[in-house]
Amino acid sequence: MNPLTIALTKGRIERDTVKLLSRAGFDMAFMADKGRSLIFESPDKAFRFLLVKAPDVTTYVRHGVADLGIVGKDILYEHPRGYLEMLDLNFGLCKFALASVASYDPKDHKRKRIATKYPRVATDYFHQKGEDVEIISIQGSVEISPILGLADAIVDIVETGNTLKANGLIVFEDICRISAQLIANKASLKNKPELLAFVKKIESLVGRKEVAFDEKISRNK
Ligand code: PRP
């Protein structure tokens, strides 16, 4: 039997996943001492984990190289096709927000420039408001762009809020909640019965979503 292959987002999502699977009763000791390796197979050959960058999780799942993937919802908003969303894992919690310097006026009618690592999310957000904006795609350190005059505001991830604060920005609107998601390849779901058994096993351990935050988001829509 081929191992169930799971693409994991390197870093915090990977560490939280290992904790979750340990709680689910899987012996994850084989991933304790990782070094620079990027592929790990469990000693019983039931599982294989691939450690990859977040956007590549969807690529491995879409192509069927991985049966399952674990990745933040932020990435799924930007890469929405070619997999099935199975489960909200309820960790890796943060949000998308519109932020800028205090003098920013969201009601200003001039065509705004919005800097972001998430052009699709930002475009959809302003489209829903019926506002035409110029999206400026950048790769990181988005928070400095309004200070330097590259953009009027940013759409970015906020977790602790420390990066915004350290750069003198404030949140003008919460856009939506983000959390880690379990995604599956469609053919694997059909052809590998052990995949569904695995999903059901961890489903029982995953807590409820933060309802209060979700309600706040739907009120803002
Ligand atoms: C993310 C995000 C913010 C920051 C938010 O960036 O784009 O910049 O984390 O976290 P905080 O609210 O806890 O401060 P990342 O660390 O991935 O770096 P990057 O800007 O270089 O992409």
Side-chain angles (χ1 to χ4, degrees), residues 77-103:
Y77 283 128
E78 287 293 317
H79 304 270
R81 275 178 280 279
Y83 52 81
L84 296 168
E85 282 189 57
M86 303 294 290
L87 205 54
D88 183 340
L89 296 174
N90 207 28
F91 60 71
L93 297 178
C94 50
K95 65 182 178 183
F96 275 123
L98 174 71
S100 190
V101 292
S103 59

Side-chain angles (χ1 to χ4, degrees), residues 136-153:
I136 302 174
S137 281
I138 50 178
Q139 298 301 311
S141 305
V142 187
E143 289 85 353
I144 63 173
S145 61
I147 308 163
L148 299 174
L150 178 68
D152 298 301

Side-chain angles (χ1 to χ4, degrees), residues 117-118 139-143 156-164:
K117 288 187 283 188
Y118 299 90
Q139 298 301 311
S141 305
V142 187
E143 289 85 353
D156 199 17
I157 290 176
V158 179
E159 188 185 343
T160 61
N162 290 341
T163 313
L164 289 183

Side-chain angles (χ1 to χ4, degrees), residues 13 104 123 130 156 169 171 195:
I13 284 188
Y104 173 73
T123 301
D156 199 17
L169 306 189
V171 169
L195 186 154

Side-chain angles (χ1 to χ4, degrees), residues 7-14 50 52-54 57 70-72:
L8 289 183
T9 306
K10 275 200 272 185
R12 217 187 74 187
I13 284 188
E14 157 209 331
L50 318 178
V52 298
K53 292 268 189 193
V57 170
I70 298 184
V71 64

Side-chain angles (χ1 to χ4, degrees), residues 4 26 34 37 49-50 57-58 60 71 78-79 84 86-87 108 124 141 160 169 171 174 176 192 197 200 208 215:
L4 201 59
F26 297 104
K34 292 202 303 291
S37 300
F49 291 93
L50 318 178
V57 170
T58 59
Y60 278 98
V71 64
E78 287 293 317
H79 304 270
L84 296 168
M86 303 294 290
L87 205 54
D108 191 338
D124 286 354
S141 305
T160 61
L169 306 189
V171 169
D174 290 340
C176 63
K192 293 192 165 187
K200 283 190 186 305
R208 274 168 53 81
E215 283 170 355

